[in-house]
Amino acid sequence: DQVWQNDTEDQDDHSADKIGQITVVDHRPFIFFCDFHPVFSPPHIFVNFSPYFSIISSFIPKDKVVFVDTPTVLLYNRRNAACFTFKEEKGVMKDIKKVTLIGLGAMGVFFAPRISEKLGADFRILADGARKERLERKGVTVNTINYRFPIITPDVEGDPADLVIIAVKGYDLEQAIRDIKNQVGKDTIILSVLNGVESEKQIAAVYGSEHLLYSYMRISIVMKDGKTEFDPHKGLIHFGDLKNDPEHYSGNVLAVKSLFDLCEIDYKIDADMLKGIWFKFMCNVAENMTCAMFGVPFGAFQKNDDANFFRHKAMWEVIRIANKLGIDIGQNEIDRQEHTLGRLPYENKPSTLQDLEVGKRTEVDMFAGTVVRLGKELGVETPVCECFLHGIHLIEARMFKEI
């Protein structure tokens, strides 16, 4: 912002253009070479974010580093001293200090224990009514440990979160979008980990795309009566903006990345999130619908040709729709999933079958229903998914004694 002339004459010509700027890390200003100052012998580094000391200490002697605690860095040479003050711009990483999770089922428990461990009371579950009462009374049990997380109700105002994670069932999304209203502030990031391909669009329609990151989960979790056991490091969350360049992650992506690093939550930032979401959708439709329709576990795909007949047919229906929408998935993605299925425990069951077995509504409309609807819009035939849609609706009607 300002440059002051130093009246001290010196025989050496240390002009300002010889002062070298290193870079910024995570979009935070952090190192400048200081050529000379009367107090400090050259060269010195002034650092305004001390956790980065471990980065610079590998190539700068520790006795040449001076820490300051303001966003201002001074550059000195014998003739001039320059003061640079930095302004926040797009891409600056935000600090996530407060997280709200709505939906403490199979996907929610992937995050809750580890975020709670690091953030304490600043991690909250959004719930009210019977769900709030049940969580306060019973909590959830994850890997034999019972958790009673802090709960915040949708009507609480003036306490928005830095990050809202939506992990409800597809049929609860509309209500969840309404419930998070008071949790969404000016800079709140929203991460939807729902199955399907349309939740982000629905959320953005209400809160704006600037709040939104895209995501999908890759983990098999069986939850029953509020209890589950799983290895959290055998699954991960994929997240990011629609397109992601490792050299230029957005501030929102960097903020969530930093939180997940802190909480030791495994993740991957896909270069093309839409392709990843449709790959996951292809797998969900084919596997969830086949298992639910016929009452078989994931292991059926490891040894039964009939189960794989339906699975592969459904996969190609999704692929043809995705290709019509300009999303490049195909046989390579099918081959990739074969390897994953071969490593799943035989008795593991997808969420749709788990729901039927405990008498709950399923996400069949979000899976097969979306494929059938988009197929009609795009002129793609979807006979297997139509069979799944009507067949599972029939199972639900029988289960709820509607027939």
Side-chain angles (χ1 to χ4, degrees), residues 93-99 111 114-115 118-119 123 162-163 165 191 239 253-265 267:
M93 184 178 72
K94 307 169 185 176
D95 289 327
I96 294 179
K97 298 178 179 178
K98 188 175 294 184
V99 175
F111 301 98
R114 289 178 284 180
I115 297 179
K118 298 298 183 181
L119 299 190
F123 171 75
D162 299 312
L163 172 67
I165 301 174
L191 191 67
F239 76 94
V253 170
L254 289 169
V256 174
K257 177 182 182 298
S258 179
L259 175 71
F260 288 167
D261 285 336
L262 173 70
C263 299
E264 298 182 8
I265 292 173
Y267 64 85

Side-chain angles (χ1 to χ4, degrees), residues 272-287:
D272 185 341
M273 280 300 303
L274 208 55
K275 180 174 181 177
I277 287 171
W278 273 87
F279 164 66
K280 170 71 182 300
F281 184 61
M282 174 192 75
C283 300
N284 276 152
V285 169
E287 295 157 15

